[in-house]
Every structure is written in structure tokens, then in C-alpha cells.
Amino acid sequence: MKDTAKHQGLRNQLVSVLQQKGITDKNVLEAIKKVPRHLFLNSSFEDYAYQDKAFPIGAGQTISQPYTVAYQSQLLEVQKDHKVLEIGTGSGYQTAVLFAMGAKVYSIERQSELFKSTSVLLPKLGIRPKHLTFGDGYKGLPNFAPFDSIIVTAGAPLIPKPLMAQLKIGGRLVIPVGGDGEVQIMNLLIRKTETQFEKHELGEFRFVPLLENKN
Ligand code: SAH
């Protein structure tokens, strides 16, 4: 597993592409510059790792497109030591980006194969999320709540109530919604009070589905 000057050069180019596509948060761009995305992919995709594309990661899942990772990360408005909950650990790339941004990351994955391989990979790369769990993301992680922000990295048919309940006041939930089609609308929910949420519907994205009741 190597990270070379060539990879760094490709990451710098990727950052320029993301800036052209409208990503402005310096913390996000710095994190993308640091995280060796090629090490999160099967080596047969290594040459393409810094293209702005999604790729298969096994178990029928995908590593999100860098633009999507950057876009969602920017919406979270992560500050150092924020507690961030991620639903859908997958390859661990988004987890690594949040970690590089200074977040304390809690992440849930429901496919045991991916949970196991990513749990082994992250520490090897020096990436230390606070907590990786095998389980159902619809339920969130009540034992570790409340969170400063929550990111869902799979397309949800609806916004799970437990996730709303586990946000701090002022906290942000970023979730692609629209389960029955291939396209989802990125939703940003900001918790204003105990009972009030401000909802923003943003652009269209394509995610693999957030699945229920596997465990
Ligand atoms: N953040 C990942 C994206 C992976 S794709 C990355 O950067 O690679 C979405 C992931 O969500 C898949 O790994 C899938 O197995 C997982 N997933 C789907 N439904 C889930 C659920 N209910 N709870 C937790 N994870 C789920």
C-alpha cells in the first residue's frame, strides 16, 4: 500500500475539479487533498481513483463520487472535535475525510463483509474513528447521541425519526431522500429547537439504497 508523489499530484488535480464544481469549504478541500482514495478501492481501479467517479467496492456497494463526498461534508459544517455520525461506512473513504477534518466519527455499516474489511483498513492508514459499528443505520446510535451532525451515505425512502432525535439543537442532518427511484434529493435538516427542524431540499444525486432490517 503506497501513497506516492504521483498520487498526491492526482489529488491536487481532483481538488481543482471539486473547486470548479463549487466546493469552497477549505477544511473539506484540505481533507480530500490528504486522504489516499486509491487505497480505499480494489487495486484494479487504482488508476481511476482520482477521477470524480463512484466505483464498486464489493457486496454490491459503491464508494461515493468525490464530489458527493465533498458536497455532503461541506453541508455538515464540521468543526474540530464535532461528533459526527455516518450511516453507511462502506469503503471508509467518507469516514476518513471526516476524520481528516477533525471530527470524532461514529459510523454504522450493515454489511458484515464491508464492516470487517473497513475496520481493518482504517487503522492501517492511521485513521481512527471513535466508533465503528455493524448494525442498522435507521436506528442511529442512541447510546452515543446527541451528535453535532449526521450524514447518510445511501438513498433513504424517508428521513428516519431516530436520526432526527439524535441531533443536537443546531445540529445538521444531511440525507439523500427518494428511495423508490434511482435519483434522490439531498436534504439538509437543521434542528432549531427540541421540536422544530428547518428543511432544505438541494440537488439531485444517485446513491445505492439505504436498506432496512438485515440484522
Ligand atoms: N460512505 C461510503 C458509501 C458507501 S455506499 C463510502 O465512502 O464508501 C452506502 C453504504 O451504506 C453501503 O456500504 C451499504 O452497505 C450501507 N448501508 C445500506 N443500508 C444501510 C443501513 N440501513 N445501515 C447502515 N448502512 C447501510
Side-chain angles (χ1 to χ4, degrees):
M1 295 210 291
K2 269 203 262 168
D3 188 29
T4 64
K6 179 185 134 209
H7 294 119
Q8 185 59 62
L10 292 170
R11 280 203 288 285
N12 293 344
Q13 283 174 24
L14 173 61
V15 165
S16 305
V17 168
L18 298 178
Q19 282 177 307
Q20 280 158 26
K21 292 186 177 177
I23 304 298
T24 52
D25 184 328
K26 293 224 164 55
N27 203 8
V28 173
L29 295 168
E30 280 305 311
I32 304 261
K33 223 179 249 183
K34 272 191 219 152
V35 179
R37 187 172 189 254
H38 63 287
L39 301 180
F40 292 79
L41 289 167
N42 184 298
S43 56
S44 56
F45 293 111
E46 183 180 334
D47 289 349
Y48 310 102
Y50 295 104
Q51 295 183 3
D52 190 18
K53 288 188 182 150
F55 291 104
I57 54 172
Q61 305 304 325
T62 54
I63 179 170
S64 299
Q65 185 183 340
Y67 174 71
T68 305
V69 171
Y71 185 84
Q72 288 194 283
S73 302
Q74 177 164 284
L75 286 177
L76 295 176
E77 297 191 349
V78 174
Q79 289 171 28
K80 191 159 168 37
D81 290 334
H82 264 189
K83 266 172 80 178
V84 181
L85 174 63
E86 175 190 26
I87 310 301
T89 318
S91 68
Y93 177 68
Q94 171 78 71
T95 319
V97 167
L98 294 170
F99 177 80
M101 290 173 73
K104 293 180 175 154
V105 191
Y106 298 73
S107 189
I108 312 178
E109 172 57 52
R110 75 185 271 289
Q111 301 257 11
S112 60
E113 185 189 318
L114 286 171
F115 167 73
K116 284 182 200 147
S117 55
T118 299
S119 301
V120 172
L121 176 69
L122 290 176
K124 275 197 202 156
L125 301 177
I127 295 151
R128 300 185 203 292
K130 277 275 164 192
H131 195 72
L132 294 177
T133 317
F134 170 57
D136 181 6
Y138 276 90
K139 302 192 179 88
L141 276 184
N143 293 344
F144 296 94
F147 296 96
D148 292 287
S149 58
I150 301 178
I151 173 173
V152 180
T153 71
L158 46 77
I159 302 177
K161 289 261 154 51
L163 299 186
M164 292 170 69
Q166 290 171 32
L167 268 188
K168 284 186 189 171
I169 308 285
R172 300 161 80 85
L173 168 61
V174 175
I175 176 168
V177 183
D180 46 359
E182 278 191 358
V183 175
Q184 297 88 32
I185 305 292
M186 194 65 75
N187 277 231
L188 165 65
L189 260 71
I190 304 172
R191 187 170 201 171
K192 291 294 181 183
T193 66
E194 199 57 42
T195 53
Q196 287 170 304
F197 292 81
E198 185 181 285
K199 183 166 153 176
H200 303 262
E201 293 189 351
L202 304 164
E204 285 188 357
F205 289 83
R206 281 166 198 273
F207 284 83
V208 294
L210 185 70
L211 301 167
E212 275 178 285
N213 298 332
K214 176 160 173 164
N215 304 305

